Amino acid sequence: EVQLVESGGDLVQPGGSLRLSCAASGFTLDSYWMTWVRQAPGKGLEWVANIKQDGGVKHYVDSVRGRFTISRDNAKNSLYLQMNNLGADDTAIYYCARGRIQHDYWGQGTLVTVSS
Amino acid sequence: SYELTQPPSVSVSPGQTARITCSGDALPKKYACWYQQKSGQAPVLVIYEDSKRPSGIPERFSGSSSGTVATLTISGAQVEDEADYYCYSTDSSETSVAFGGGTKLTVL
């Protein structure tokens, strides 16, 4: 059974950092692009970043480029999102999803709250 | 960043056909996907590559694309289809991906 389980969400002060993890199981991680998507409270879905199978290609939404870094460790079946210089606008549920565009599997999400 | 435009809301009676549109400059060249999201749940893929339906998705869900507009059609909408629907696609260079703003479907 394919499963994606996010972790690492927390309450963090403005300007702080956080690292999210996504543990993958039930499939071979290195066969798929992987993606982070977020959803602010009461708002729509927002694509955040994606990463190619070997980690050699990464793309980011403009609002996080330079602050967030997506990475993966295929040997550990894990996807990561390092988030620096966090602001209130980054408050959201963060989902990891399998694939580049068509995401057939999603995690349950992890909540990141940026507040003083 | 790339932008996709959807109507904020669509309302139909049970059994009627609901159509949700999505406009984007790269849609003539790039496939669109559609996601359904019910309150408090993760999104579910209902259409990929403009018109393909994943296994387990009811046949009443269909998709099409013409020019700069992709359309999700729910034929004979059911009360359980009430949800937010998002289109999703990439720009022509495939370096930016975007969701549409989402359409709240009401079936009552």
Side-chain angles (χ1 to χ4, degrees), chain A residues 33 35-39 43-47 50 59-63 65 95 100-104 106-109, chain B residues 1 31-33 35 37 40-45 48-49 86 88-90 93-101:
Chain A
W33 279 75
T35 298
W36 286 99
V37 172
R38 68 183 179 182
Q39 187 167 35
K43 302 295 185 182
L45 300 171
E46 181 181 35
W47 170 75
N50 61 21
H59 299 303
Y60 300 91
V61 67
D62 287 349
S63 59
R65 189 175 293 114
Y95 297 98
R100 186 177 189 181
I101 300 293
Q102 52 193 72
H103 306 307
D104 50 357
W106 296 66
Q108 83 290 347
Chain B
S1 296
Y31 287 126
C33 293
Y35 292 92
Q37 188 182 34
Q41 299 181 18
V44 173
L45 179 68
Y48 66 100
E49 293 183 2
Y86 297 88
Y88 187 54
S89 186
T90 180
S93 66
E94 297 189 348
T95 58
S96 180
V97 187
F99 285 97

Side-chain angles (χ1 to χ4, degrees), chain A residues 1-8 20-27 29 34 36 73 76-81 95-97 105-108 110:
Chain A
E1 178 191 8
V2 172
Q3 281 196 320
L4 296 168
V5 180
E6 303 93 337
S7 60
L20 304 183
S21 298
C22 171
S25 60
F27 68 102
L29 186 66
M34 293 296 292
W36 286 99
D73 186 336
K76 294 184 177 180
N77 294 314
S78 293
L79 174 72
Y80 306 102
L81 187 67
Y95 297 98
C96 67
Y105 289 95
W106 296 66
Q108 83 290 347
T110 187

Side-chain angles (χ1 to χ4, degrees), chain B residues 21-100:
Chain B
T21 59
C22 172
S23 299
D25 290 343
L27 289 179
K29 301 178 183 178
K30 298 299 178 184
Y31 287 126
C33 293
W34 290 91
Y35 292 92
Q36 175 194 69
Q37 188 182 34
K38 296 184 178 179
S39 181
Q41 299 181 18
V44 173
L45 179 68
V46 294
I47 294 289
Y48 66 100
E49 293 183 2
D50 289 346
S51 60
K52 296 180 180 178
R53 197 173 51 249
S55 62
I57 300 302
E59 290 184 6
R60 63 180 180 271
F61 288 86
S62 63
S64 62
S65 187
S66 178
T68 59
V69 180
T71 302
L72 172 68
T73 300
I74 307 172
S75 303
Q78 307 293 309
V79 172
E80 60 261 34
D81 297 331
E82 278 204 346
D84 294 322
Y85 290 86
Y86 297 88
C87 62
Y88 187 54
S89 186
T90 180
D91 67 358
S92 55
S93 66
E94 297 189 348
T95 58
S96 180
V97 187
F99 285 97

